[in-house]
Amino acid sequence: MNAPDNDLERRARELYREAAHRIDPATAARLRAARRTALDQSDRPSLAQRLLQLLLPAGAFAAIALAALMLSSPVERPLGSPAGLRSAVATDADGDLPPDAAAADPALYQNMEFYGWLAKNGESQASR
């Protein structure tokens, strides 16, 4: 299989060299000028390439700025455990039930008499 490919390649090279020797000087000059023009244009970056050269650093800078912003202002998390957070959310959903004793603030249970008095007298003072 290599032998026919080699013969074809060898024959194509011979024909190319023969045609290159028989070309007239005016055509050769035009071909060289066209080649130089094509090479000069390929060296200059296109509009898309120039735009990419500008946008790539800008995008990298934006990503770094976003990462710095996220690291400098962390999200505040509740001090309690996730289970305590779930019970507080459940308590907020149905306000008829008192908060779970394990999740509630212990300072709320210090003045239970005051809360009882407020429950009794708050309704009577609100009607006045």
Side-chain angles (χ1 to χ4, degrees):
M1 182 164 196
N2 255 349
D5 288 342
N6 285 339
D7 289 338
L8 179 64
E9 182 181 342
R10 184 181 49 77
R11 180 69 182 138
R13 284 182 193 269
E14 288 174 5
L15 289 173
Y16 172 76
R17 288 187 183 125
E18 185 180 325
H21 288 296
R22 287 189 298 164
I23 196 166
D24 63 304
T27 305
R30 283 196 324 248
L31 286 173
R32 280 192 298 275
R35 182 176 183 269
R36 275 193 303 271
T37 303
L39 287 175
D40 288 343
Q41 288 178 353
S42 70
D43 290 340
R44 280 187 254 142
S46 68
L47 177 64
Q49 289 172 337
R50 283 185 275 160
L51 189 60
L52 181 64
Q53 288 173 351
L54 291 175
L55 289 180
L56 191 62
F61 178 73
I64 290 170
L66 180 65
L69 179 67
M70 292 183 73
L71 290 175
S72 68
S73 60
V75 176
E76 292 184 26
R77 292 187 174 86
L79 296 175
S81 66
L85 178 65
R86 274 189 239 114
S87 67
V89 170
T91 303
D92 289 341
D94 51 0
D96 296 336
L97 298 175
D100 186 21
D105 186 19
L108 293 175
Y109 295 108
Q110 288 179 354
N111 300 321
M112 291 303 286
E113 295 88 22
F114 170 73
Y115 292 120
W117 176 84
L118 185 63
K120 290 177 188 174
N121 295 330
E123 292 176 10
S124 63
Q125 289 182 1
S127 63
R128 287 184 187 171

